[in-house]
Amino acid sequence: MSALVTSAGDLRRLVARDLRRELRVLDGLIVNTALPVIIMLLFVYVFGGAITTGSSGLPYIDFVVPAVLLMSGGYGAALSAVNISEDLTGGMIDRFRTLPISGWVVPAGHVVASVVRNVASSAIALLAAIILGFRPDATLTDWALVLALVAGYVLAMSALAVVWGLLVRSTQAAGAFSFAMLFLPYLSDGIVPAETMPGVLRDFAYNQPATPIIEALRALLLDRPVGSSGAVAAAWLVGVVVISVPAAALLFRRRTAA
């Protein structure tokens, strides 16, 4: 029991350290704060008038908000790959190894800090959408499920990002993961209706994880039937977490083995 309490204290301190580091990097803080707003403005005012929402019949801002939430949270979560890579290549891990802490709390600290930071970033994106005219009809239960889905997506992508950061050998390579996460919602039913895409691309859009998550968020925010998308989204997120968390622990142990 005492070991568990000690590890929990170590995890709390490492999460606080990661959050303080983000606050000290002014340019990164500005990008993470401004990006959701810029994306929202871009899609609503630049692209929104030229895009129809297909069979959903929704105004474009109602259609696109769930995708922007994922883009905002996913891009920030992907930066966990860079953070863990910087710790490995910058000598910080060597300092941690001199301290009586469990090795697993280091990657876990990055993941938990990412969830806190990027759920807040997604909330900023949602606030920007409301200012621009988005009017959700969600109930209190719906809002709780929206929070759970966004947090689950950030958790899954953060854990996957840590795995990527441990696999590659440079921060430059680790940074490539953020571009993949930023553009994943583009190839889904989030920005344009998947039904309007060519055959192969349409099949990919319908069978990749972002689509059921976006569809579930859209249904919850607009108080519509969720259907099977909620269960499919949960299955994707649980699957990614179940695979990524032990993989991250194993890779971290191998990368830091003396």
Side-chain angles (χ1 to χ4, degrees), residues 57-240:
L58 293 171
Y60 188 66
I61 190 169
D62 292 348
F63 183 84
V64 79
V65 163
V68 175
L69 295 182
L70 290 200
M71 291 171 71
S72 175
Y75 175 77
L79 296 179
S80 299
V82 175
N83 292 337
I84 192 74
S85 180
E86 287 178 345
D87 279 351
L88 288 166
T89 59
M92 184 58 69
I93 297 299
D94 293 332
R95 295 178 62 184
F96 285 148
R97 289 170 64 185
T98 66
L99 301 174
I101 63 175
S102 300
W104 66 267
V105 301
V106 178
H110 284 292
V111 171
V112 174
S114 175
V115 172
V116 173
R117 183 175 64 250
N118 293 298
V119 168
S121 178
S122 295
I124 293 172
L126 182 59
L127 178 61
I130 291 172
I131 292 172
L132 294 175
F134 177 60
R135 296 294 179 264
D137 297 319
T139 65
L140 186 60
T141 301
D142 291 337
W143 280 117
L145 292 173
V146 167
L147 177 61
L149 269 178
V150 172
Y153 181 76
V154 174
L155 172 63
M157 294 304 102
S158 299
L160 191 60
V162 167
V163 171
W164 175 257
L166 291 168
L167 282 171
V168 299
R169 296 291 172 172
S170 69
T171 56
Q172 290 82 4
F177 191 75
S178 62
F179 291 98
M181 290 301 98
L182 180 62
F183 287 105
L184 184 64
Y186 283 93
L187 303 177
S188 72
D189 194 43
I191 306 301
V192 298
E195 64 194 45
T196 65
M197 298 178 182
V200 174
L201 192 57
R202 182 175 61 247
D203 291 340
F204 175 80
Y206 280 136
N207 293 286
Q208 61 117 321
T211 290
I213 300 170
I214 289 169
E215 289 178 345
L217 286 173
R218 191 179 287 139
L220 291 168
L221 287 168
L222 301 176
D223 197 23
R224 292 183 164 201
V226 176
S228 62
S229 59
V232 176
W236 269 111
L237 295 177
V238 170
V240 172

Side-chain angles (χ1 to χ4, degrees), residues 21-36 75-76 79 117-118 121:
R21 181 172 66 175
E22 292 296 324
L23 291 174
R24 289 172 184 153
V25 183
L26 185 59
D27 55 346
L29 182 63
I30 292 173
V31 169
N32 288 341
T33 304
L35 184 64
Y75 175 77
L79 296 179
R117 183 175 64 250
N118 293 298
S121 178

